[in-house]
Amino acid sequence: MAVKSYKLNNGTFMPEVGLGTWRGNDDGALVQTVKTAVEMGYRHIDCAPYYANQRDIGKALKEVQVPREELFIVSKIYEHNHRPELVEGALDHILDELQLDYLDVLMMHWPFAVKPEVGFADDYGAEAIENVPIMDTWKAMEALVDKGKVRTIGVSNFNQTILEKMLPQCRILPATNQMEIHPYCQEQELVDFCKNNNIVVTAYCPLGGYKVNVMDDELIKRIADAHSCTPAQIALSWERARGIVVIPKSSNPLRLKQNLEEFVELTPDEMRMIGNIKSHERNCDPGRDFKELKWIFHPDEAECPVI
């Protein structure tokens, strides 16, 4: 099955399979991984300042023989740059690291803000959280589309409650919502809501991730055996069959090729069985550490303080 693209609400096309780069340089091989991936046919590269590897990605992109207009590069505004006056400078730093003139999508990485002095630290306390209205940050991002520095804008880790309040206030609607999706974190209601509002869904951690062991699930392994393929191919094929963009990470050339090219046609029964998995686990949940952020993934328990 050829890798397809999804038309975003600004008319551009987002490739259905991208290269994830979170923790992508743990083995020091990211420059070569990006070059190998692009040479194989990857065009969608998912980045973020928090991943602390954009300079390596930029170096790789300079070395590959692919025109910029054929690439689809995504990056994100992190929490400490949510104040409107900081947004453009944050983007300029991203573009400098990636050695690019523009991004295809700029996302808001999380729907909460921290004080600028926190930076990318992971060990801050609740006192570092600050109430910058989401729409203030979003309007600053909309202005970057007007300036031609980004082709369109999106969100990440946004729940339905936030989106329902946000969308009527947007001049430019989010083109995509990137969220954790895998067989143990299926998010069907949120996926349906996004599709109904012309927001393309992107799945990060599509194979489970470092805290969630989807690849050892007995059902996934049994279906993989039936198709003579890997559990990873089953998980990715299940997500792609749901109309979701996936951004798996790997530095292994064989797995890179499998992730991009080897779509498995699952039967309706197999799709249903995976969809009925009862385990619910996620890698990323700020609400575990801060009750003040419980609202991000538990909107039934707490309400977003500012939109």
Side-chain angles (χ1 to χ4, degrees):
M1 177 179 177
V3 176
K4 63 183 180 182
S5 295
Y6 287 100
K7 188 175 183 179
L8 301 180
N9 56 26
N10 72 328
T12 60
F13 288 86
M14 184 180 206
E16 158 183 66
V17 180
L19 178 67
T21 61
W22 181 39
R23 299 191 167 186
N25 207 27
D26 288 356
D27 57 2
L30 185 60
V31 172
Q32 186 56 52
T33 295
V34 173
K35 290 169 64 176
T36 299
V38 173
E39 288 163 4
M40 281 183 180
Y42 282 83
R43 294 296 180 262
H44 175 181
I45 312 294
D46 183 78
C47 316
Y50 178 71
Y51 306 163
N53 55 21
Q54 290 188 139
R55 291 201 181 279
D56 288 328
I57 296 169
K59 182 176 187 296
L61 294 178
K62 276 294 183 184
E63 294 177 5
V64 297
Q65 302 300 310
V66 175
R68 170 65 184 94
E69 60 270 19
E70 293 184 16
L71 298 170
F72 192 94
I73 311 299
V74 176
S75 193
K76 307 170 186 79
I77 295 290
Y78 204 58
E79 297 99 275
H80 67 288
N81 283 317
H82 275 214
R83 293 181 187 177
E85 66 272 18
L86 299 178
V87 170
E88 185 168 11
L91 171 63
D92 288 341
H93 185 68
I94 290 169
L95 294 174
D96 176 67
E97 288 193 325
L98 293 172
Q99 301 184 58
L100 298 175
D101 295 323
Y102 68 92
L103 291 178
D104 294 278
V105 181
L106 177 67
M107 295 179 181
M108 200 182 309
H109 204 151
W110 287 92
F112 71 95
V114 298
K115 295 174 182 175
E117 58 267 27
V118 172
F120 296 109
D122 288 320
D123 58 352
Y124 56 83
E127 70 281 355
I129 300 168
E130 68 173 7
N131 288 337
V132 178
I134 287 171
M135 286 308 302
D136 287 1
T137 308
W138 188 255
K139 288 174 183 175
M141 292 169 65
E142 289 177 326
L144 299 176
V145 179
D146 298 335
K147 291 184 176 183
K149 290 186 171 185
V150 298
R151 297 181 76 186
T152 193
I153 48 182
V155 296
S156 180
N157 299 299
F158 275 48
N159 65 45
Q160 182 172 333
T161 301
I162 298 172
L163 290 170
E164 286 175 339
K165 294 178 180 178
M166 177 185 175
L167 296 184
Q169 304 180 59
C170 294
R171 178 169 60 87
I172 299 174
L173 294 174
T176 183
N177 185 10
Q178 185 178 121
M179 61 187 88
E180 181 174 345
I181 297 180
H182 46 73
Y184 285 7
C185 185
Q186 303 197 7
E187 297 283 18
Q188 189 60 55
E189 288 186 15
L190 183 52
V191 169
D192 290 342
F193 175 85
C194 288
K195 288 184 178 181
N196 290 337
N197 285 275
N198 201 20
I199 300 170
V200 171
V201 174
T202 303
Y204 71 78
C205 294
L207 303 179
Y210 67 109
K211 291 182 181 177
V212 181
N213 194 5
V214 172
M215 297 300 96
D216 284 337
D217 182 90
E218 289 302 321
L219 172 63
I220 301 292
K221 290 197 295 184
R222 191 163 67 248
I223 295 174
D225 288 344
H227 289 274
S228 300
C229 67
T230 66
Q233 288 170 264
I234 295 301
L236 294 176
S237 297
W238 172 76
E239 287 146 4
R240 291 169 66 183
R242 297 171 68 202
I244 294 170
V245 172
V246 294
I247 47 171
K249 171 180 73 72
S250 181
S251 59
N252 180 295
L254 175 60
R255 291 187 187 132
L256 284 170
K257 182 177 176 61
Q258 289 174 337
N259 293 345
L260 181 68
E261 298 178 356
E262 298 185 20
F263 177 86
V264 179
E265 292 279 359
L266 299 173
T267 68
D269 279 348
E270 290 168 339
M271 290 292 295
R272 177 184 52 78
M273 286 189 291
I274 297 172
N276 286 337
I277 289 176
K278 300 304 181 188
S279 297
H280 186 80
E281 304 175 39
R282 63 169 77 242
N283 292 283
C284 305
D285 185 356
R288 292 192 191 112
D289 299 316
F290 302 108
K291 68 180 188 316
E292 294 84 356
L293 299 178
K294 195 80 171 174
W295 51 269
I296 297 176
F297 294 128
H298 309 277
D300 54 328
E301 300 179 29
E303 185 175 350
C304 176
V306 284
I307 302 290

